[in-house]
Amino acid sequence: MRKVTALFEHNSFLYFFALITSVLLSLSVDYRESVVNPDGICYLLSAQLVGTSSIKEVMQFCPQSQWPLYSILIYLLVQISHLSYAASAYVLNSFFSLLSVIAFILIIKELGGSRRVLWLAALVILFDHQFNILRENIIRDHGFWAFYLSSILFFLYYFRKPTWTTGVAWYTSLIIATLFRIEGAIFLIVMPFLTLVNFSVSSKERIKSFLILTSPMILLCMAFITWQLFHAQLGLEKLGRISEIINQLQNGFVILADRYHTSKTALVQHVLPPEGAADATVVLFLVWISWYALNVCITLSWGYAALVAYAWKNKVASLSARSTLVIGGYLSVNAIVTLVFLAEHLFISKRYLIALTLTLMLWVPFALNDLIQKWHSKYHRIFLSLIASIIFISALSGIIEFGHSKSYIRSAGNWAAKNIPVDATIYVNDLQLMYYTQHFGTHIFKILPDYLQANAITQGRWKQYDYLALRLKNKEEGAMAGILQELKELEPIQIFSNKRGNHISIYKIK
């Protein structure tokens, strides 16, 4: 019994447990994944081009491949392992998820977490609902989250003891994160300025710390300016996603003002009565903030959100001034970036908020530990039991798929790949189905806009194809309903469906 207890008290067993559990979770969600997500199709097909095309061609292949590192890594793993492109992507994602888990635990350790808090941290990140849901998606965000968390860890090390080693480690981690998502560049630009307000050290030390972090950036900027001088004819639009940051810095306030004016006008004209027009600005502001807060809480999960609120209210995490400055800085940059994105685009995907919620989750293990210590209190015992139940249900829904399966898409695509001749012309109205039919190769994204037009096969245009493979909802409306009316005399040669009533009908025309 003592040996077992000693084993659990040893940190190396904690990391081994986290490693095994993270890998098993990745395997389970990858196994259940029935179809590749739409963005994943772009990454997989662009990875296939890496070996035969230039980087420029890869970047122009599809929208997501403009940031090509992820596709290149998939290609390299295929060459090394001889796995399929999809399997290689899942292995790569598993590695990044594992790196995120370990980095999260090490951050908690650096923040002063006890052994029990470290175990709670492992459980918190391993069973995070949204993080596990996104494990199955082939997206470059996995790499960004891994190196984003690594950058927080190295920045904490740097603030504790500024050295060139920790400074370069921080800088390198954010450079790699930037190669996955452009947001990394914003942290790279902004975070060094925190050293200037670290008043726990002398002004001389603050300036020295700032120069260590900014020296590589200054060199990179000088190299970029020099390159731009010799390639001025390319223009900013040829710089890929880098031009987005430059455009945002130059025109961000104009874009926000224009979106604000448009939204306010629409609110006054179509939503508010004449008497409420004077309050349009307040209403619009409250809608934005409420909308944003709701998305953050849903992404974080309600159980974790309640624990973060509890931790802040009761100050359960005794963070040092420098740690508070670092974590607060990362939270502030995340909040500003995502708030601006929501204000400009009037939508925000949950995966865009993961970096923010992973940072907020740093308070969750400390809150759980505080509630466990106060188990003798009836109030705290009830609250912990309720929160634990919510977290368990949320975690379970992130690991086990309760929704309707999309395997019928893959089944239909595989049937088409085997039974429809390669030289036959086929119309498909869905990207994922197109991918699995294997009839379009790397031309999918060139023809996709034409295929997805509402009138692509109306008024008899469907007759020019040998086969139709139509992904249909239970109740179709609009153009698709008209097409089905035109096809009513034709019997599908195959139908694939799920329990929700969504189905794919395959017709043979000629």
Side-chain angles (χ1 to χ4, degrees):
M1 185 66 182
R2 289 181 179 177
K3 290 183 178 180
V4 174
T5 304
L7 182 63
F8 275 89
E9 290 180 349
H10 205 279
N11 282 345
S12 60
F13 181 75
L14 165 63
Y15 299 121
F16 177 74
F17 167 81
L19 185 153
I20 295 298
T21 307
S22 181
V23 170
L24 290 176
L25 284 170
S26 294
L27 287 174
S28 67
V29 297
D30 292 345
Y31 177 78
R32 82 179 184 200
E33 175 64 359
S34 51
V35 293
V36 174
N37 56 298
D39 284 2
I41 294 172
C42 172
Y43 293 123
L44 295 180
L45 293 180
S46 60
Q48 294 177 32
L49 288 178
V50 170
T52 58
S53 307
S54 66
I55 293 298
K56 181 180 179 181
E57 291 174 323
V58 172
M59 293 175 67
Q60 294 176 347
F61 176 70
C62 55
Q64 290 74 24
S65 65
Q66 292 178 33
W67 231 224
L69 177 61
Y70 187 53
S71 300
I72 293 172
L73 291 176
I74 294 173
Y75 170 79
L76 292 176
L77 189 55
V78 169
Q79 302 307 306
I80 295 170
S81 65
H82 302 291
L83 293 170
S84 68
Y85 281 89
S88 296
Y90 289 132
V91 170
L92 197 61
N93 290 351
S94 298
F95 170 75
F96 287 142
S97 296
L98 172 61
L99 186 58
S100 295
V101 169
I102 299 301
F104 185 86
I105 298 171
L106 289 174
I107 291 171
I108 296 296
K109 183 180 180 182
E110 181 63 20
L111 294 177
S114 64
R115 185 174 290 110
R116 181 165 64 185
V117 174
L118 293 183
W119 274 97
L120 290 171
L123 296 175
V124 165
I125 182 68
L126 285 168
F127 298 107
D128 176 38
H129 169 78
Q130 196 63 41
F131 191 73
N132 284 331
I133 282 181
L134 291 171
R135 277 179 185 262
E136 66 187 22
N137 286 356
I138 298 176
I139 48 177
R140 68 181 187 277
D141 301 63
H142 296 290
F144 173 73
W145 299 327
F147 289 97
Y148 164 82
L149 286 173
S150 298
S151 77
I152 296 179
L153 178 64
F154 291 129
F155 212 48
L156 287 168
Y157 289 162
Y158 185 80
F159 262 63
R160 176 163 51 86
K161 187 178 181 181
T163 64
W164 277 100
T165 302
T166 51
V168 170
W170 172 81
Y171 200 85
T172 303
S173 62
L174 272 183
I175 284 286
I176 299 174
T178 302
L179 293 175
F180 285 101
R181 288 200 66 87
I182 194 63
E183 293 92 316
I186 302 174
F187 291 96
L188 201 60
I189 295 169
V190 174
M191 297 307 291
F193 289 95
L194 288 185
T195 58
L196 298 177
V197 292
N198 181 22
F199 298 114
S200 61
V201 298
S202 65
S203 57
K204 181 180 178 181
E205 288 296 319
R206 293 201 297 271
I207 294 173
K208 180 182 176 182
S209 297
F210 178 75
L211 291 176
I212 290 176
L213 292 183
T214 54
S215 295
M217 187 188 305
I218 293 171
L219 292 175
L220 282 176
C221 289
M222 291 175 62
F224 172 75
I225 292 171
T226 303
W227 180 87
Q228 186 66 15
L229 288 174
F230 287 98
H231 299 82
Q233 72 279 6
L234 293 179
L236 292 179
E237 68 277 1
K238 300 297 184 180
L239 299 178
R241 300 294 300 276
I242 295 176
S243 61
E244 293 183 18
I245 289 186
I246 298 174
N247 180 62
Q248 188 67 42
L249 291 174
Q250 292 176 339
N251 306 305
F253 287 107
V254 176
I255 296 171
L256 277 174
D258 181 66
R259 177 61 73 180
Y260 161 76
H261 177 74
T262 303
S263 301
K264 181 180 176 181
T265 301
L267 191 65
V268 171
Q269 293 179 349
H270 304 292
V271 179
L272 297 176
E275 297 80 4
D279 297 322
T281 298
V282 176
V283 172
L284 183 59
F285 179 78
L286 290 175
V287 167
W288 275 344
I289 295 300
S290 302
W291 189 4
Y292 180 79
L294 179 63
N295 274 283
V296 171
C297 289
I298 292 174
T299 306
L300 184 59
S301 83
W302 292 108
Y304 285 179
L307 288 171
V308 170
Y310 174 87
W312 288 354
K313 180 179 182 296
N314 296 280
K315 299 179 180 179
V316 300
S318 301
L319 305 184
S320 64
R322 61 175 182 267
S323 296
T324 301
L325 184 61
V326 170
I327 303 302
Y330 272 90
L331 280 177
S332 300
V333 173
N334 267 308
I336 292 171
V337 169
T338 47
L339 265 170
V340 169
F341 184 92
L342 175 64
E344 288 185 359
H345 298 85
L346 295 183
F347 93 95
I348 190 163
S349 172
K350 290 182 177 60
R351 64 188 174 95
Y352 299 165
L353 294 167
I354 292 293
L356 173 65
T357 57
L358 285 173
T359 312
L360 288 171
M361 278 166 50
L362 294 172
W363 276 272
V364 173
F366 293 100
L368 287 170
N369 183 61
D370 185 75
L371 288 169
I372 291 171
Q373 290 176 339
K374 297 176 180 176
W375 180 256
H376 60 274
S377 166
K378 181 179 179 181
Y379 165 76
H380 291 90
R381 188 163 61 247
I382 293 173
F383 181 65
L384 178 57
S385 300
L386 178 62
I387 290 297
S389 301
I390 295 173
I391 292 174
F392 176 77
I393 295 171
S394 178
L396 198 64
S397 64
I399 299 171
I400 301 174
E401 186 176 21
F402 292 102
H404 297 283
S405 173
K406 293 183 178 181
S407 60
Y408 73 103
I409 300 173
R410 186 169 190 162
S411 299
N414 290 340
W415 184 92
K418 292 179 180 179
N419 295 279
I420 296 179
V422 177
D423 58 347
T425 57
I426 177 174
Y427 172 82
V428 184
N429 69 334
D430 179 79
L431 172 61
Q432 291 170 301
L433 183 56
M434 291 174 76
Y435 174 72
Y436 284 106
T437 61
Q438 299 180 25
H439 272 68
F440 302 93
T442 56
H443 299 292
I444 286 182
F445 293 96
K446 291 182 180 178
I447 64 176
L448 184 64
D450 295 330
Y451 272 48
L452 296 185
Q453 287 184 8
N455 61 348
I457 56 172
T458 56
Q459 298 179 356
R461 294 186 183 91
W462 51 269
K463 294 178 182 179
Q464 63 183 298
Y465 297 96
D466 298 322
Y467 292 85
L468 304 179
L470 306 178
R471 184 179 175 184
L472 306 166
K473 297 179 181 178
N474 192 19
K475 293 182 180 181
E476 286 293 347
E477 299 178 355
M480 193 56 65
I483 293 168
L484 295 177
Q485 185 65 24
E486 292 184 43
L487 296 174
K488 64 181 181 180
E489 295 183 2
L490 289 177
E491 287 292 330
I493 57 174
Q494 287 289 331
I495 296 178
F496 301 85
S497 62
N498 64 5
K499 294 180 180 179
R500 192 176 185 179
N502 298 334
H503 59 285
I504 293 171
S505 295
I506 300 178
Y507 297 87
K508 183 175 183 180
I509 307 303
K510 299 179 184 178

